Amino acid sequence: MEKVLSAVIARLPLTPGVYRFRDAAGQVLYLGRATVLRRRVASYWLDLRDRGHLAPMVARVRRIEAVSCDSAHEAAWLERNLLTTSLPPWNLTMGGQEHPVYIRLDPRPARPGLSVAHEPANRPADIAYFGPYLGGRRARQAVKGLGRVLPLAYTGAGLRGTLLD
C-alpha cells in the first residue's frame, strides 16, 4: 500500500492546494492545505518529528485526494469552506485556523477612518464593510498602508490640540 501512496504523492502538483486523507471505508480522516501540495503530503510519510501523534492516522490512510489552487490564499478559503461543512476526526477546529475579517470604512465626520473588524451582527447604514478577507494580520497591514496614503483620521471634526495642526 505504501508504494501506491508513494506513486500518488509523486504525481501531486507543486502548487498550493487542499488535500484529504481517506481510510479504507472512504471516510475522510484529515483535511489540510499546503503551499506546495507534494511536499506537504509527503511530509506525513517522512519523519513526523513533533507530530508523532499523527502516526496512527497516517497508518490508516488508503487514499489521497488533492485539489490544486491558484494561490495559498485560495487554498486557505477552500480548506475553510470544506471544514465548515464537516469536521474530520483528525482536524481540531471547525472552519480552520483563520477567521474572516472585514475592512471597515467609517465616513462619519466625528471619527473617519479605516479599521479591521469581524462581521458585525447589525451593520450601521453609514459604515461600509469590504471583504471578507481571511486572516487579520494581512488586513491590518493593508489598513495601515492605506492610512499612510489616505490619512482619513486627520479629516475628522473631533480633532483637538496638536492634531489640528
Side-chain angles (χ1 to χ4, degrees):
M1 181 44 94
E2 198 162 312
K3 275 189 170 184
V4 172
L5 291 177
S6 294
V8 169
I9 292 169
R11 288 192 307 267
L12 290 175
L14 297 169
T15 61
V18 173
Y19 57 92
R20 284 186 212 166
F21 295 147
R22 292 187 183 267
D23 64 11
Q27 295 296 314
V28 176
L29 297 170
Y30 182 76
L31 187 142
R33 72 166 185 264
T35 306
V36 180
L37 273 169
R38 186 183 310 162
R39 187 172 53 215
R40 178 69 176 134
V41 171
S43 75
Y44 289 90
W45 281 267
L46 301 173
D47 182 16
L48 286 173
R49 293 186 198 137
D50 61 336
R51 300 179 302 154
H53 64 283
L54 295 176
M57 179 206 57
V58 171
R60 292 177 53 193
V61 173
R62 295 295 175 266
R63 196 165 87 217
I64 300 169
E65 298 172 346
V67 176
S68 183
C69 297
D70 289 334
S71 68
H73 192 73
E74 182 182 332
W77 272 109
L78 178 57
E79 178 195 39
R80 178 174 176 71
N81 290 341
L82 292 171
L83 286 173
T84 300
T85 59
S86 70
L87 186 64
W90 288 87
N91 286 90
L92 300 177
T93 54
M94 194 74 141
Q97 300 297 316
E98 292 93 359
H99 298 283
V101 295
Y102 294 79
I103 294 179
R104 178 181 183 264
L105 170 62
D106 187 347
R108 295 178 293 189
R111 286 203 145 186
L114 291 170
S115 61
V116 175
H118 293 278
E119 187 172 14
N122 55 354
R123 292 183 174 193
D126 53 349
I127 295 178
Y129 288 85
F130 302 93
Y133 303 101
L134 198 53
R137 184 174 57 90
R138 294 269 170 102
R140 284 189 294 279
Q141 288 173 338
V143 165
K144 190 174 182 179
L146 287 168
R148 288 185 185 138
V149 176
L150 302 167
L152 297 176
Y154 296 111
T155 64
L159 299 177
R160 307 260 184 270
T162 58
L163 291 177
L164 288 170
D165 294 337

